[in-house]
Amino acid sequence: YIGCYEDNTRRRTLRGMSFFDYKKMTVFRCQDNCAERGYLYAGLEFGAECYCGHKIQASNASESECNMECKGERSNTCGGINRLSIYRLELAQESARRYGSAIFRGCFRQPENVSIALPASQLMLNMSVDKCVDFCTEKEFPLAALAGTTCRCGFPSTLFPLHEREDEQLCAHKCAAEEFESCGSAEFLLVYQTQVQDNRCMDRRFLPSRAKQLVALASFPGAGNTWARHLIELATGFYTGSYYFDGSLYNKGFKGERDHWRSGRTICIKTHESGQKEIESFDSAILLIRNPYKALMAEFNRKYGGHIGFAAHAHWKGKEWPEFVANYAPWWATHTLDWLRYGKKVLVVHFEDLKQDLFVQLQRMVALLGVPACEDRLLCVEGQKDGNFKRSGLRKLEYDPYTPEMRKVISGYIRTVDAALKLRNLSGVPEDYFPR
């Protein structure tokens, strides 16, 4: 903890990412989210607001002015009115530390129509990563591209899709103003994503006329259904619905959550159901499958810690975890087997492939939904892919919760699902499902 600082709504003290939670904000959650994204500082304000940044751009305030309890833990202070409680973070990666609020996207060959692909530019004889990122942020562009002594700004687009990375050595030309930073060259651009939100895919609405088909977004719990909904909504511009009603998801912006699943106003319907009758009530389905070891742990965390929280140590070590595995592991297999058996027109998407190759997998999903895929929108999604629904990866368990007996049973289920997929001429499960 380094102290209480002034803040100003017009010019923020910490100018990186921010997020708010007026019910459950904690110091740890704010630190965790900022650290995972490579920021040096995390600041809490008004009991519920979290700001991240690389530089503190304000003066100290009196400690007594940081006087509001955190909404999620009364024992801690989370700033005050226009006051930030700021923490300096320990970061795992040196590279993340150096570039602060910008996300490194890679080294890319200069696009052919560079002045159209990256429309704003400025000559900077004393170039540095910070200067170029600040310039593009002020111009309100989500991409900053360093080209030697020229800084260029733009959006990911069909002219510059950021899909073919080059060897980073081709961009390793030192910056004029920073000897430890690379600034790219006229031919090879070093690209960073700024904190400016790409708004080309943020608008969402209900379908203008009733859907002709009911499409399921089916998955076992913990397989990334909420994340897939976020991606589909950004990619198509339409709300997704749900077989259930979850108030916390509605409050996070899933406006289709309140509609009856048969309303026909949403582009697809989230469901974890796996009975024949329920499956046959849909006209087609996207079936999301995830490594059972990861899915079971994610669902256990959700069950005992909420959508982005964690189960307590006592739950993992107590009787809850073995009981959960005994009940849920067989369901992981029967869920996929039932959808393959009873589902009409089923598109199988592996969660791991979606993470690895978002653009291609999302194109497949949008095609099944029958919406024309706007390429700029899909490229915009790649930059906004996490949303607010990612459980931070930093709080990993320090031990393997699976016993050898559990692993033996789960391996059998994986083999059964793998065989069922291959029987339908689909690629089997990804290799990492099988424990080495």
Side-chain angles (χ1 to χ4, degrees):
Y1 176 70
I2 58 167
C4 183
Y5 285 78
E6 293 175 2
D7 196 21
N8 181 323
T9 51
R10 286 190 296 285
R11 281 193 73 68
R12 288 287 175 198
T13 301
L14 295 173
R15 297 184 192 157
M17 187 202 82
S18 61
F19 76 99
F20 312 142
D21 192 326
Y22 293 98
K23 284 189 176 168
K24 292 186 180 170
M25 182 60 77
T26 65
V27 171
F28 174 82
R29 194 172 155 206
C30 178
Q31 291 173 331
D32 209 16
N33 274 278
C34 294
E36 193 184 36
R37 287 163 176 81
Y39 291 102
L40 261 188
Y41 299 102
L44 295 112
E45 184 169 328
F46 200 61
E49 301 174 3
C50 173
Y51 297 90
C52 314
H54 193 48
K55 293 183 182 123
I56 299 173
Q57 307 190 54
S59 332
N60 269 98
S62 156
E63 280 303 315
S64 63
E65 292 173 42
C66 282
N67 53 12
M68 293 182 80
E69 291 180 329
C70 303
K71 296 290 186 189
E73 48 176 0
R74 294 290 157 87
S75 55
N76 261 324
T77 304
C78 281
I81 296 169
N82 290 333
R83 293 294 180 265
L84 281 164
S85 301
I86 295 185
Y87 293 83
R88 185 183 164 89
L89 305 169
E90 293 290 320
L91 293 180
Q93 291 167 297
E94 203 56 42
S95 62
R97 185 183 298 252
R98 204 174 317 143
Y99 304 117
S101 63
I103 299 164
F104 180 64
R105 294 295 294 268
C107 176
F108 299 89
R109 190 180 291 277
Q110 177 173 290
E112 280 180 26
N113 303 330
V114 70
S115 55
I116 301 171
L118 300 165
S121 67
Q122 174 126 327
L123 186 67
M124 291 184 176
L125 297 176
N126 59 344
M127 173 76 95
S128 72
V129 174
D130 268 355
K131 286 190 180 74
C132 185
V133 167
D134 286 348
F135 171 72
C136 294
T137 301
E138 270 170 39
K139 294 282 181 196
E140 299 197 336
F141 284 103
L143 293 184
L146 291 83
T149 51
T150 304
C151 170
R152 298 185 181 279
C153 321
F155 293 91
S157 66
T158 47
L159 291 170
F160 196 48
L162 304 187
H163 286 160
E164 291 180 22
R165 287 172 85 142
E166 302 286 348
D167 183 341
E168 271 174 52
Q169 286 307 308
L170 296 169
C171 284
H173 299 272
K174 278 186 184 154
C175 295
E178 294 282 350
E179 64 168 312
F180 297 114
E181 291 181 2
S182 296
C183 273
S185 68
E187 198 183 345
F188 292 99
L189 312 182
L190 210 51
V191 179
Y192 291 84
Q193 188 169 315
T194 72
Q195 289 301 308
V196 173
Q197 197 161 47
D198 186 344
N199 286 323
R200 295 172 303 166
C201 59
M202 299 312 284
D203 60 300
R204 288 166 297 162
R205 59 199 175 104
F206 288 105
L207 292 172
S209 56
R210 194 180 164 89
K212 292 182 176 63
Q213 55 164 0
L214 279 178
V215 185
L217 177 63
S219 76
F220 174 77
N225 201 305
T226 304
W227 180 53
R229 287 176 71 184
H230 164 73
L231 297 175
I232 288 167
E233 291 196 359
L234 294 187
T236 64
F238 295 116
Y239 288 122
T240 58
S242 176
Y243 198 77
Y244 321 97
F245 169 65
D246 184 329
S248 71
L249 290 182
Y250 179 82
N251 292 337
K252 284 200 165 81
F254 286 103
K255 298 301 178 201
E257 195 71 22
R258 268 210 173 139
D259 268 38
H260 186 273
W261 65 281
R262 281 190 180 277
S263 74
R265 295 206 306 159
T266 53
I267 191 83
C268 64
I269 320 294
K270 160 195 174 167
T271 178
H272 299 312
E273 301 302 308
S274 54
Q276 181 179 353
K277 186 164 152 278
E278 288 85 352
I279 293 171
E280 287 176 348
S281 58
F282 290 97
D283 302 300
S284 58
I286 295 166
L287 176 59
L288 197 58
I289 304 174
R290 186 182 187 185
N291 181 330
Y293 292 101
K294 301 274 173 64
L296 288 166
M297 288 175 74
E299 175 57 9
F300 191 72
N301 274 323
R302 189 203 63 78
K303 203 173 160 81
Y304 290 101
H307 276 284
I308 48 177
F310 293 87
H313 191 74
H315 292 131
W316 292 101
K317 286 295 191 188
K319 63 180 190 320
E320 292 95 334
W321 172 243
E323 278 177 11
F324 176 86
V325 173
N327 290 324
Y328 277 66
W331 180 23
W332 176 84
T334 57
H335 184 277
T336 296
L337 299 175
D338 284 358
W339 276 93
L340 290 174
R341 185 174 171 192
Y342 301 119
K344 306 164 208 162
K345 205 174 158 195
V346 176
L347 172 74
V348 173
V349 175
H350 291 285
F351 173 86
E352 294 74 17
D353 294 343
L354 188 57
K355 270 181 82 175
Q356 195 72 41
D357 198 355
L358 185 103
F359 190 82
V360 169
Q361 297 301 327
L362 208 43
Q363 261 182 328
R364 292 176 67 223
M365 290 156 78
V366 170
L368 180 95
L369 296 168
V371 179
C374 166
E375 211 158 307
D376 277 358
R377 218 180 155 103
L378 288 170
L379 290 165
C380 162
V381 178
E382 287 187 301
Q384 319 283 338
K385 62 185 180 193
D386 282 351
N388 302 314
F389 315 105
K390 186 172 179 287
R391 201 172 267 108
S392 161
L394 289 182
R395 191 166 156 185
K396 299 234 173 21
L397 276 181
E398 266 123 56
Y399 58 91
D400 178 1
Y402 292 101
T403 62
E405 293 74 25
M406 288 176 185
R407 286 188 171 274
K408 195 176 168 189
V409 170
I410 293 169
S411 286
Y413 294 135
I414 293 170
R415 279 192 286 275
T416 305
V417 168
D418 187 56
L421 290 167
K422 287 173 176 165
L423 204 62
R424 284 159 182 76
N425 294 324
L426 298 165
S427 54
V429 300
E431 269 181 34
D432 72 351
Y433 284 28
F434 292 100
R436 302 268 182 278

